Amino acid sequence: MTRSERGYAWFIAPGAAALLAVIAVPFAMNVYISFTSWHGIGSMDWIGLANYRRLLSDPQFWSGFGHNALLVVAMAIAPTCLGLVIAAALFDVIAVRFGPRTASVLRACVYLPQVMPLAVMGVVWGWILSPNNGAFDSLLRDIGLGSLAHDWLGDPHTALYAVMFVMLWLQLGFPLVVFMSGLQRIDPALHEAAELDGASWPRRFWHITVPHMRPEFMVVLLICTIAALKAFAPIYVLTGGGPGYSTTIPSYYSYENFFETTQVGYGAAVATVLAAIALVVTVVFLVVQRRTAEEG
């Protein structure tokens, strides 16, 4: 290592130390605990792969992954697609007709939920969706649709979909900001030439905007998918995994085993499997992104 390279090492050292202390060591400890039977206190009993064999036949664990798949739709796929459409509309239509300041204000309004504390978000949406005096059911009654009023978060058939709607509202701002930034690198001459040739805005969006947004699309989809896989706070704040297990996801199921049933070893196994799945998803996204970049 040259003298200049040793100089760079001093800048890397704090981040490496933090990574080791905050991520690597706790993760290694979690993996070790997953091979034990432990209740948080007392001695750990080594049981090998028993916790993982239990996972294979645990219906609550697998139903949690089904719920997580729906959260991926609400927190990754839908916000990414909607975010690209809204970003293009703000950039190509609103900014052109009403000025960039109007587009910026609207972008800030959509992004605002991203900076809202999740606890505050949970309290607000819990009040909005309350079956007694909630704003949403009150609105339905005021416009003559009182028959549709419902306990949205208290019904096992609608609780998960209500959470999905809230998470879509919460997550939409991040893709919007990323895509609006990416749209600035597209040569305006491409849109102008297509418009002169008679191409409508939808056709220009599909044939010019979408192909140029592939790098941002992959990055946003990856980050939002990982966020959906490790989502915990929204479930904890809005439903607590209920009613029953209708909104339980693996991250919350791990928390339940850690702190409520004190089956720490089993909770660690759930967390380890979830981390492994997130790692595999990340690798797959990076490989696909790399191949897409090479083909482009």
Side-chain angles (χ1 to χ4, degrees):
M1 180 181 292
T2 65
R3 183 175 181 180
S4 60
E5 291 174 338
R6 287 196 298 270
Y8 287 120
W10 288 106
F11 292 95
I12 299 174
L19 177 67
L20 183 66
V22 177
I23 297 179
V25 172
F27 180 72
M29 293 174 62
N30 183 83
V31 173
Y32 174 79
I33 293 172
S34 71
F35 294 106
T36 68
S37 176
W38 188 40
H39 298 286
I41 58 175
S43 61
M44 298 181 186
D45 299 323
W46 182 267
I47 58 174
L49 296 173
N51 286 325
Y52 293 96
R53 287 194 294 267
R54 177 183 169 187
L55 282 178
L56 295 177
S57 58
D58 188 347
Q60 294 174 3
F61 174 76
W62 292 109
S63 66
F65 269 112
H67 301 156
N68 227 151
L70 291 176
L71 275 189
V72 169
V73 174
M75 295 181 64
I77 298 175
T80 300
C81 296
L82 287 175
L84 181 56
V85 174
I86 296 174
L90 290 177
F91 190 85
D92 297 330
V93 179
I94 302 298
V96 173
R97 295 185 179 182
F98 303 99
R101 180 173 296 180
T102 302
S104 297
V105 171
L106 293 175
R107 178 184 60 189
C109 292
V110 177
Y111 186 76
L112 183 61
Q114 281 281 308
V115 299
M116 180 182 297
L118 286 174
V120 175
M121 178 272 295
V123 171
V124 171
W125 276 102
W127 169 72
I128 292 174
L129 299 175
S130 173
N132 298 321
N133 55 357
F136 185 64
D137 282 353
S138 297
L139 176 63
L140 291 177
R141 296 186 186 98
D142 291 341
I143 62 176
L145 298 176
S147 60
L148 299 178
H150 192 69
D151 186 0
W152 303 100
L153 292 174
D155 185 345
H157 298 96
T158 60
L160 183 60
Y161 297 105
V163 173
M164 289 172 61
F165 175 80
V166 174
M167 295 313 300
L168 172 60
W169 168 82
L170 179 69
Q171 195 75 6
L172 185 59
F174 172 69
L176 175 67
V177 171
V178 174
F179 287 137
M180 288 197 72
S181 177
L183 286 169
Q184 298 180 16
R185 64 180 178 81
I186 299 179
D187 188 354
L190 296 175
H191 285 281
E192 293 173 0
E195 189 174 6
L196 290 174
D197 289 338
S200 62
W201 184 85
R203 291 182 64 85
R204 286 185 279 121
F205 169 78
W206 183 254
H207 292 288
I208 298 177
T209 302
V210 172
H212 282 81
M213 287 290 101
R214 285 181 181 177
E216 288 81 2
F217 191 88
M218 294 299 297
V219 170
V220 167
L221 195 58
L222 172 60
I223 294 175
C224 292
T225 299
I226 299 302
L229 289 175
K230 66 183 184 68
F232 169 79
I235 299 296
Y236 179 81
V237 173
L238 287 170
T239 64
Y245 287 93
S246 60
T247 59
T248 296
I249 58 177
S251 60
Y252 190 84
Y253 190 47
S254 177
Y255 162 81
E256 283 185 320
N257 283 279
F258 264 109
F259 299 105
E260 295 183 6
T261 64
T262 65
Q263 300 181 66
V264 179
Y266 190 60
V270 175
T272 301
V273 171
L274 185 60
I277 292 174
L279 179 61
V280 170
V281 170
T282 301
V283 171
V284 170
F285 266 96
L286 293 177
V287 170
V288 172
Q289 183 181 16
R290 181 178 178 181
R291 291 181 178 176
T292 303
E294 291 176 352
E295 292 175 358

